[in-house]
Amino acid sequence: MSTEAVADIAVIGLAVMGQNLILNMNDHGFVVCAFNRTVSKVDDFLENEAKGTKIVGAHSLAEMAKKLKRPRRVMLLVKAGSAVDDFIEQLLPLLESGDIIIDGGNSEYTDTNRRAESLGKKGILYVGSGVSGGEEGARFGPSLMPGGAEAAWPHLKDIFQSISAKVDGEPCCDWVGLGGSGHFVKMVHNGIEYGDMQLICEAYHLMKDAVGLSHDEMADVFDQWNKTELDSFLVEITAGILRFKDEKGNALVEQIRDTAGQVIAHFLLRQMFRKCMTRLLS
Ligand code: 2AM
């Protein structure tokens, strides 16, 4: 592999989010250097998903650093927590003052505050960016919430705003503020989203167990709501989910176990909701 400084940005972390963001950046004309802790995934990616693109790979962080144009832009899309600190530590001897590290994972904003402060003292511009939209968003247009060292923004704006989703031509991406504010905004965004999902679950529970609607009838209600001020992605996909049947013609949603994290909180909420409904209906 050549070690010329050819790449506009490096992305570390070749799980689906990382791969899709790289392919999205490539579509927008940027040269991306891909790296992953398990290095064999770099070759797998280059030989499969990235085949025929301008994407380059590196087999070590040192090789990756050499392939980057200055200031170096290195984006981490790895598991939140110690993996981020480990990579930062390994990157430090390979970077110079004014280089940029971006954490695009789901880090706690307090960790991002800490990292931004300590890296700032070493001359590294640290950015924590919320990335929303899941795998599809990463591939074709995420909402991006970058914050941290503001001096990094002029070097990131073009890449970030090009790859982000657009609403009426406006990019769903702008500079959010200092320190961990990008991840803080993502946390608030998730809070609103999960509140919305809870409301949808409670509406489903009420329609199914209190009113006795069938799955198709519930789907009709959500479709109807989606034509009103409740119009949203979550309401739209709920109609599709409720209508979805397995091979025997039964609603698939009833076969999905109600045990994804936060089980106790969810269970208590359901119990509370049941009690309220029983009282209301008696
Ligand atoms: P891997 O492919 O080597 O497991 C999502 O899990 C991404 O985070 C993957 O790219 C994964 O690398 C990386 N990752 C998870 N834990 C990590 C760790 N402790 N150190 C470095 N990378 C890690």
Side-chain angles (χ1 to χ4, degrees):
M1 285 189 188
S2 122
T3 48
E4 259 179 278
V6 288
D8 297 301
I9 187 166
V11 173
I12 298 178
L14 294 180
V16 185
M17 289 299 285
Q19 289 196 13
N20 282 358
L21 273 179
I22 294 173
L23 293 167
N24 186 353
M25 288 172 184
N26 176 76
D27 285 350
H28 286 87
F30 301 103
V31 177
V32 190
C33 179
F35 182 74
N36 194 68
R37 173 181 65 169
T38 308
V39 176
S40 59
K41 287 193 191 164
V42 175
D43 293 323
D44 282 351
F45 179 55
L46 294 179
E47 282 158 24
N48 295 289
E49 294 84 354
K51 204 177 173 81
T53 69
K54 288 185 297 175
I55 297 163
V56 296
H59 289 130
S60 68
L61 287 174
E63 185 192 342
M64 185 199 82
K66 283 196 190 117
K67 285 190 170 168
L68 284 170
K69 295 179 193 164
R70 312 294 199 272
R72 295 182 184 88
R73 289 166 281 213
V74 179
M75 187 162 186
L76 297 169
L77 277 148
V78 299
K79 203 167 166 224
S82 60
V84 177
D85 290 305
D86 289 350
F87 268 120
I88 289 173
E89 205 161 303
Q90 293 176 60
L91 281 167
L92 272 177
L94 305 168
L95 301 182
E96 55 200 15
S97 187
D99 285 348
I100 301 162
I101 300 179
I102 309 131
D103 174 13
N106 275 320
S107 293
E108 288 223 37
Y109 77 94
T110 46
D111 284 343
T112 308
N113 275 337
R114 166 178 60 77
R115 290 165 186 149
E117 197 186 332
S118 87
L119 287 168
K121 289 179 189 150
K122 295 177 173 130
I124 300 296
L125 304 176
Y126 192 70
V127 174
S129 182
V131 177
S132 177
E135 294 170 17
E136 280 286 301
R139 182 66 187 86
F140 300 110
S143 164
L144 296 170
M145 300 150 242
E150 197 161 4
W153 185 227
H155 302 289
L156 298 180
K157 191 172 175 181
D158 190 23
I159 301 180
F160 271 46
Q161 292 194 337
S162 303
I163 65 164
S164 75
K166 310 285 181 305
V167 172
D168 301 329
E170 282 282 304
C172 296
C173 168
D174 215 335
W175 189 250
V176 168
L178 291 173
S181 55
H183 282 135
F184 183 85
V185 170
K186 176 71 197 298
M187 178 184 71
V188 173
H189 161 111
N190 279 352
I192 295 168
E193 185 179 357
Y194 297 157
D196 199 0
M197 288 196 278
Q198 184 66 36
L199 265 172
I200 288 172
C201 290
E202 290 178 12
Y204 150 82
H205 180 51
L206 176 58
M207 286 192 263
K208 178 169 162 279
D209 293 340
V211 185
L213 296 189
S214 71
H215 289 84
D216 284 338
E217 286 168 331
M218 289 189 278
D220 289 343
V221 174
F222 278 98
D223 271 341
Q224 198 54 44
W225 284 350
N226 203 41
K227 293 184 187 123
T228 68
E229 67 271 25
L230 294 179
D231 161 32
S232 73
F233 174 71
L234 290 176
V235 168
E236 182 188 334
I237 63 169
T238 301
I241 291 165
L242 288 169
R243 238 183 260 290
F244 201 94
K245 306 285 188 298
D246 66 11
E247 61 283 356
K248 290 185 198 140
N250 299 318
L252 186 74
V253 70
E254 300 309 329
Q255 287 157 69
I256 295 167
R257 258 195 252 147
D258 185 16
T259 51
Q262 304 279 337
V263 186
I264 296 172
H266 195 95
F267 176 74
L268 287 174
L269 269 166
R270 281 193 113 173
Q271 291 299 316
M272 265 170 52
F273 188 70
R274 281 215 173 106
K275 270 192 195 155
C276 293
M277 284 316 303
T278 317
R279 258 189 226 153
L280 270 173
L281 295 172
S282 64

